[in-house]
Amino acid sequence: MLAEKHPGMLADDLSDYLLARSSGHFASLMALINRGCLRAIRTRHERLDTELMDQVNNDAAAEEARCELVSALETGLLTSRPQTRQRRKSA
C-alpha cells in the first residue's frame, strides 16, 4: 500500500498514460502497476505518477505499440475515460 495514494490516482490521473504504456493488454497493465508500486515503495516516492512510471520497464510488445497510442491520446482521437452523459448529448 502506498502512503500517498489517493482516490482516482489510477483511474483519473493515469488512465490514458497506463492505456498507452500497456497498449490495452491487461497482463501488461498489471505488470506495469505492480512494478510501479515496487519502485514507489523502494524509492520512498509513495505514489504513482508519470515521472515515476516513466522509469519503470514494461514488456517489449507493449512498448512497441506505445508510440501509436500516445499519438492518438494526445490528439484526442482516443481516450481511456468514459464519456459523460452531457458530452454524449452534445455530440
Side-chain angles (χ1 to χ4, degrees), residues 63-76:
E63 285 300 317
E64 285 180 26
R66 181 180 183 187
C67 291
E68 189 174 312
L69 282 170
V70 167
S71 178
L73 290 164
E74 287 177 348
T75 59

